[in-house]
Amino acid sequence: EKVVAGVRGAAGCARKARIYTRTGDAGTSGTYSGERLDKSAAVFEALGAIDAASAEIGVAREHCAELATRRERDGAQIAAVVKQLRTIQGKLIDVGASVATSRDHERAKVVAEKLNADASIEALENWIDELESELPPLTKFILPGGGLASAHLHVARAAVRTAERRVCALASEQREPQRAGVD
């Protein structure tokens, strides 16, 4: 088991984060900012979609990692994709923190700075451009498939697009509080 981010306890010691809150279920959930909102709130739809996207990327990453060990000719290139997918998952954690933090929260500025959205977007677009430069021009739609790694990358792409739509809907929904770094 890999722990991505620890939680600091009262004495500043790292402790493992729980996957449940021990607060029961009254049909609400809490945000990073401490707000209690209905579980069907747009913020939780966005957070769930971000979580699903990261999970799909994780599955694709594992299939790519397995493929990299079997491919002599392009294994190093596939391993580089695995590393980049891991970086993207880490950025999705930052995106989730940003979505879960209202702009008026005392930590909103810190969360938005950690996200560093403009630089992250630029780095991702550069990586995509680099990979696309090695492909022939697209002249038609691509049917998802081409092996387990490729098929799971397609599923991850679709999940990321869903997360993008949920975050955009949250940003444009006027009754929701503005979120840090989400415009």
Side-chain angles (χ1 to χ4, degrees), residues 5 18 26 28 35 54 78-80 96 99-100 128 150 167 175 177 182-183:
R18 288 195 175 109
T28 64
E35 303 163 278
S54 182
I78 296 170
V99 167
I128 292 168
S150 178
V167 171
R175 72 172 197 258
V182 178
D183 294 318

Side-chain angles (χ1 to χ4, degrees), residues 4-5 32 87 90-98 101 107-120 180-181:
V4 174
Y32 178 74
T87 299
K91 277 306 191 183
L92 285 175
I93 290 171
D94 296 340
V95 169
S98 181
T101 305
R107 303 260 314 145
K109 185 175 180 182
V110 172
V111 169
E113 287 172 358
K114 179 158 176 52
L115 177 61
N116 194 4
D118 290 340
S120 297

Side-chain angles (χ1 to χ4, degrees), residues 136-175:
L138 292 177
T139 58
K140 56 188 171 192
F141 286 105
I142 298 173
L143 291 176
L148 279 174
S150 178
H152 281 289
L153 286 167
H154 280 287
V155 173
R157 176 190 52 79
V160 168
R161 297 300 300 269
T162 298
E164 178 185 25
R165 289 190 300 274
R166 297 290 190 277
V167 171
C168 287
L170 173 64
S172 67
E173 192 175 284
Q174 296 201 1
R175 72 172 197 258

Side-chain angles (χ1 to χ4, degrees), residues 3-27:
V3 177
V4 174
V7 176
R8 297 281 171 202
C13 299
R15 64 178 172 84
K16 188 174 177 180
R18 288 195 175 109
I19 61 170
Y20 60 95
T21 62
R22 294 185 182 242
T23 60
D25 187 353

Side-chain angles (χ1 to χ4, degrees), residues 54-79:
S54 182
E56 293 290 358
I57 291 170
V59 172
R61 189 186 83 220
E62 291 302 315
H63 281 288
C64 288
E66 192 274 327
L67 183 63
T69 63
R70 292 187 290 118
R71 301 274 290 262
E72 198 173 301
R73 182 176 47 96
D74 55 359
Q77 185 178 18
I78 296 170

